[in-house]
Amino acid sequence: MKKIINMTKTKKFISVLLTAVILTSSLIVPVCSFNVEYDINDALNILKHLAKVEPLTDRQKSMYNINGNPEVGINDALEILRYLAKLDNLIVPWTDEQKEEQRVKNFINDVVTLVNAERAKVGLSPVTANNSALNGAAMKRAEEIVELFSHNRPDGSSCFTILPEFGIVLVSNYWEAENLARGQKSPQEVMDGWMNSEGHRLNILDKNAAEIGVGLVIVDGVYHWSQFFLNTAVR
């Protein structure tokens, strides 16, 4: 019953916001492009998140962070409402490049979700994907395997030599692992491939894993994937 009451208040809030958006549209300068697949439920999801009724998933946070702020906020909901109000003269559609960047972000978030789902099945703690340096290293490795599909880097060194380049210093008792894949066109497909390969599966389900970085680079329609795992023995 409590959620129904909150939803009613949220919908009323949406109505007020939409009216305000339409009345003040000439005063608003757009700050972002839009994906044409947004609908009213997206604005509702943001408002439920802000009202602490239902938190956003990592994928939703990525999709709804329209203004590029550290956190999804009311301005993001307003931008979606303006879009739905068909204030087309104020909206600049996303370029193909922007759409592709967002799709890559969504795929990366999906891989993390699938990894943690597999870990949960065997009673393991989830890995976190908040290490920007580790994510950067994983993305760099995805770029490198376009040139050389190997756990060695194009210069012949081990894949793990990339970590110090991103400021990751391993201390005693550290653990690290890398998974690579090429050709799979969806998060589910690449995860199925890894889980059906003993070595890759063991990395995903290793009890030492605490952090994950995921990289995805698409070149000429070919998908290049990387996963980097670390335990907490870093500084």
Side-chain angles (χ1 to χ4, degrees), residues 23-232:
L23 292 176
T24 63
S25 62
S26 62
L27 303 177
I28 301 174
V29 178
V31 295
C32 183
S33 304
F34 281 90
N35 184 325
V36 296
E37 295 179 358
Y38 284 124
D39 62 32
I40 191 65
N41 289 318
D42 297 309
L44 277 170
N45 288 339
I46 295 175
L47 294 179
K48 286 189 289 183
H49 169 71
L50 295 175
K52 301 187 183 303
V53 175
E54 183 178 336
L56 296 174
T57 65
D58 288 341
R59 179 171 184 175
Q60 286 173 325
K61 289 178 182 178
S62 177
M63 289 176 62
Y64 300 157
N65 192 357
I66 296 169
N67 287 285
N69 296 320
E71 299 290 339
V72 174
I74 191 65
N75 287 332
D76 299 302
L78 283 169
E79 292 286 0
I80 292 176
L81 289 172
R82 290 177 54 244
Y83 170 70
L84 296 175
K86 299 189 182 300
L87 303 174
D88 295 331
N89 60 317
L90 300 178
I91 303 302
V92 180
W94 274 10
T95 64
D96 289 342
E97 182 178 355
Q98 289 171 318
K99 291 179 182 179
E100 187 69 4
E101 288 177 358
Q102 185 62 55
R103 190 163 69 97
V104 167
K105 290 180 182 178
N106 291 342
F107 275 17
I108 286 173
N109 289 335
D110 288 348
V111 167
V112 175
T113 298
L114 290 169
V115 165
N116 283 329
E118 293 294 344
R119 291 178 63 84
K121 290 178 184 178
V122 294
L124 292 172
S125 300
V127 290
T128 62
N130 303 321
N131 189 329
S132 59
L134 188 58
N135 288 325
M139 187 62 75
K140 180 65 176 180
R141 284 293 294 137
E143 294 173 359
E144 290 183 346
I145 63 173
V146 174
E147 179 180 347
L148 177 66
F149 187 69
S150 168
H151 288 298
N152 289 329
R153 303 178 66 185
D155 65 4
S157 63
S158 165
C159 59
F160 301 117
T161 62
I162 200 170
L163 297 177
E165 294 178 16
F166 284 81
I168 299 173
V169 181
L170 303 176
V171 297
S172 60
N173 299 318
Y174 70 86
W175 174 87
E176 57 190 0
E178 177 184 71
N179 283 344
L180 301 176
R182 180 174 62 189
Q184 298 86 348
K185 293 188 176 182
S186 73
Q188 188 64 64
E189 186 180 358
V190 74
M191 278 298 296
D192 287 345
W194 280 328
M195 292 303 294
N196 287 320
S197 168
E198 182 178 3
H200 298 94
R201 182 176 65 253
L202 289 175
N203 287 339
I204 291 170
L205 301 181
D206 196 295
K207 65 180 181 180
N208 291 300
E211 294 184 314
I212 186 175
V214 179
L216 170 59
V217 172
I218 306 170
V219 177
D220 296 330
V222 180
Y223 291 57
H224 302 78
W225 306 82
S226 73
Q227 289 180 326
F228 243 121
F229 296 95
L230 293 178
N231 64 356
T232 55

